[in-house]
Amino acid sequence: MTVAVLDGAAATDQRWREAFGNAANMLAQAPGGHRYVNADFTADRPWVAYSSSDSGAAARLFQTLGMDYQPVATAEVLPQPPVVVAPPPAEVTRPISPPPQPISGAPQLPWAPQPWAMAPQPVSAAPISPVATPPTPTVQDPLDQTGGRRIAPVERPTRSRTGIWATALALTAVVAAGIGLLAGGALGSDGGKAKPGPSASAALPVFEANQASLNKTKFDGDLAPLAEPWLDKMGGCAVNGEVGGPKLPADEKKHVFCRYGGVSLHFSQYGGSVEKDAARAYRQQLNLAGGALAPGLREAARTTGGTSGAAGSYVEYAFKGDDERTICGVWWDRDDAAAAMYMETLCESGLGGNWDALRDLWRRTS
């Protein structure tokens, strides 16, 4: 057996004890997860035992909690094999601070038991295929229609007259804008004689150009590359410290909040890769637990941005808001920066249960 033990100061912190048990049960029930042979989450030092053939299980358990792990050998003659322990207290006593959630309150994971957590009896079964190292998803396209964890998409609700009129108005606006651009490019001040059309890199329309100029002043450092594809699209951007701006989380140096239609956009500058990795791990927990909340959610992936081509990490996630409505989100961070961007919207009223709509938005702005 390999036994994962919650040790040190973490073992006396009720939040970490609950998170440890929740994560173990979540991994045991998740597709491609790790089923444990036995466990005691009420012990002074909570523990969970995995078959020795499932070599990556303990590592993934601590990775799910957003912690590093280290195998520790012992010189004592013990009736059990070596133990995998959590990091020193300085590492584990700082809980992952959840990001601000303007749409609703902060998600409850991992600090409160969830419906998928704490089965009455330990989950046991034959060992699954061993994993040699902590799982790092391979590079893939999140929009690829093959492979990956799938849940059949929910049936689309009947479109209301309001939705039909909104779509019609949007299409009318697009057509009108196209006609205006064609007319502006073809007519000059000499009574309508044709003039050379604009180049492919023609300036943006006045409103979008003004919006891009305003937004650009909000972003610097590692945030600038993440925000660049959004500059002429989003609005209402506010930086922490400004009137109406978001509250700055303890693990961030800067936070900018913007809107794009019904989608909330967050741009987070972290103090370093450690803080960014912890924030990503938090959303990976929501990814593992969110399949039942938002059918169609896919596994986290290593991939490249749709417009930048930069390598990074992509995570889809879902959680219940304060009003019990489910929120769907996509996290994106580039390897070359200690920053991340994530977008969130209500799964039903914002997406109609269609994850592909949010994926397409990410692809065009990453």
Side-chain angles (χ1 to χ4, degrees):
M1 301 295 174
T2 298
V3 182
V5 181
L6 190 66
D7 204 354
T12 63
D13 189 319
Q14 186 59 30
R15 297 171 302 176
W16 278 107
R17 293 174 64 90
E18 291 177 0
F20 183 80
N22 292 347
N25 281 294
M26 177 174 62
L27 287 176
Q29 299 172 30
H34 303 275
R35 297 184 178 182
Y36 53 79
V37 178
N38 207 342
D40 186 351
F41 301 123
T42 63
D44 289 342
R45 295 192 303 165
W47 58 271
V48 56
Y50 295 99
S51 169
S52 58
S53 63
D54 197 0
S55 59
R60 187 174 181 187
L61 173 61
F62 286 117
Q63 183 186 45
T64 300
L65 291 169
M67 298 186 292
D68 293 328
Y69 75 98
Q70 47 185 305
V72 176
T74 175
E76 300 179 51
V77 178
L78 300 176
Q80 62 184 31
V83 175
V84 176
V85 300
E91 279 286 325
V92 300
T93 53
R94 181 181 65 84
I96 301 170
S97 58
Q101 305 291 338
I103 292 182
S104 62
Q108 295 302 308
L109 280 172
W111 309 127
Q114 299 294 304
W116 43 263
M118 301 302 291
Q121 297 295 331
V123 180
S124 61
I128 61 175
S129 301
V131 179
T133 58
T136 300
T138 56
V139 176
Q140 66 182 58
D141 181 359
L143 303 180
D144 185 9
Q145 297 300 312
T146 62
R149 186 175 77 233
R150 298 291 171 81
I151 302 177
V154 295
E155 183 178 351
R156 295 288 186 83
T158 303
R159 294 181 64 186
S160 65
R161 289 185 177 273
T162 301
I164 295 172
W165 280 111
T167 302
L169 289 173
L171 290 174
T172 301
V174 171
V175 172
I179 294 173
L181 288 175
L182 289 173
L187 299 180
S189 59
D190 58 350
K193 292 183 180 179
K195 287 189 175 182
S199 65
S201 59
L204 293 167
V206 176
F207 181 86
E208 285 77 4
N210 186 64
Q211 199 69 38
S213 178
L214 292 173
N215 290 336
K216 192 171 185 179
T217 63
K218 308 284 184 179
F219 299 93
D220 55 14
D222 290 343
L223 294 181
L226 289 170
E228 196 278 332
W230 288 99
L231 292 179
D232 63 328
K233 301 175 179 65
M234 59 190 177
C237 294
V239 183
N240 62 279
E242 294 182 348
V243 176
K247 183 178 179 181
L248 183 66
D251 58 347
E252 295 184 23
K253 297 173 62 178
K254 183 176 181 178
H255 193 102
V256 185
F257 171 73
C258 303
R259 301 286 299 184
Y260 177 76
V263 180
S264 296
L265 304 175
H266 301 261
F267 298 86
S268 301
Q269 175 71 61
Y270 295 95
S273 59
V274 173
E275 291 82 1
K276 183 184 75 169
D277 292 347
R280 185 197 314 114
Y282 177 80
R283 283 161 184 82
Q284 287 173 336
Q285 294 177 55
L286 299 181
N287 170 273
L288 290 171
L293 292 175
L297 178 149
R298 296 180 185 171
E299 291 179 346
R302 292 277 304 147
T303 187
T304 56
T307 60
S308 66
S313 298
Y314 174 95
V315 185
E316 296 178 359
Y317 59 93
F319 62 91
K320 286 283 190 181
D322 287 343
D323 58 4
E324 293 302 308
R325 291 188 293 178
T326 303
I327 295 172
C328 289
V330 165
W331 161 284
W332 166 243
D333 73 274
R334 293 169 44 150
D335 294 345
D336 58 3
M341 185 280 293
Y342 55 98
M343 59 180 90
E344 296 177 346
T345 188
L346 291 167
C347 297
E348 286 304 319
S349 62
L351 294 176
N354 184 7
W355 273 102
D356 285 339
L358 204 57
R359 292 169 188 144
D360 177 68
L361 182 60
W362 167 82
R363 181 178 60 182
R364 292 185 286 109
T365 55
S366 59

